Amino acid sequence: MLLDALSPLPSAVNLGLVALSALTSGISAAAGIGGGTLLIMTMAQVMPAAALIPVHGMVQLGSNASRAALTWRHLDRGILAAFLPGVVLGALAAAWLLVRLPAGVLELCIAGFVLYACWGPGWPRRAVGRAGTLVAGAVTTFLSSLVGASGPLVAAFIKQGLTQRLPRVATFSACMTSQHLTKAFVFGVAGFVFRDWVGLMLAMVAAGFLGTWLGLRLLHRLSDHRFDAIFKWVLSLLALRLIWLGVQRLTG
């Protein structure tokens, strides 16, 4: 059966993940953030730990690339150009260094950063200038290879430099595309065999493109003010979930 051939997982699980890819891509396109985190939370329940981050990364590569392609006219090329060198540095660090924070600390740090970006006072211009953007690219790419979903962190940073919904979605998608692209290198170096999961990844990417197209149709109907409110609250809810996970892991 075709569904059985997609991956080592049962056919029903493969079908569920393909459908979920369409749903979460639509969420990310319409709300600007959240789909990737929801996807990795669900995948973590049914996939082997060794396959979780690399497979999720390749699926998110397809989802973000399609969203970036459909919104490229609104891309802030200055932010992307400053972000890319940081992505390269972060990927190299992730490939060669084995740095691990105590369980729970990473989640709490990311949550604190996101909540400050959403509700705290504005950052100084230097923090969102070229140097700050390069540092953000390096740090978030490195963290992405450790925890899988760095989307809330990147989105919180992009939020500081852009106020309109379409440039924010386009630039976030392009930055995340570059970041997820490095995972093929990072996990290839680590010895992960992508071949066993290619069918599932391609099916999820195709479903994600459909979800992205539908989500962007909804995005065009939202005002900048309403989108900003949704974006901020979705980020905050994701940060609260990270706090919950961090506290659980710290307390054992």
Side-chain angles (χ1 to χ4, degrees), residues 27-53:
I27 291 172
S28 288
I33 184 65
T37 302
L38 175 59
L39 182 62
I40 199 171
M41 286 168 54
T42 306
M43 291 173 70
Q45 310 304 312
V46 297
M47 290 187 66
L52 177 61
I53 294 179

Side-chain angles (χ1 to χ4, degrees), residues 172-227:
F172 170 75
S173 301
C175 289
M176 292 303 294
T177 297
S178 66
Q179 197 169 85
H180 286 301
L181 185 60
T182 66
K183 291 182 181 177
F185 163 72
V186 171
F187 289 98
V189 169
F192 180 74
V193 181
F194 285 96
R195 182 179 63 253
D196 297 340
W197 300 89
V198 166
L200 178 61
M201 290 189 293
L202 290 176
M204 291 179 72
V205 167
F209 181 84
L210 175 61
T212 294
W213 182 77
L214 293 172
L216 287 175
R217 287 176 67 88
L218 176 59
L219 175 65
H220 282 283
R221 299 184 180 185
L222 294 174
S223 66
D224 285 333
H225 176 74
R226 180 170 294 181
F227 175 81

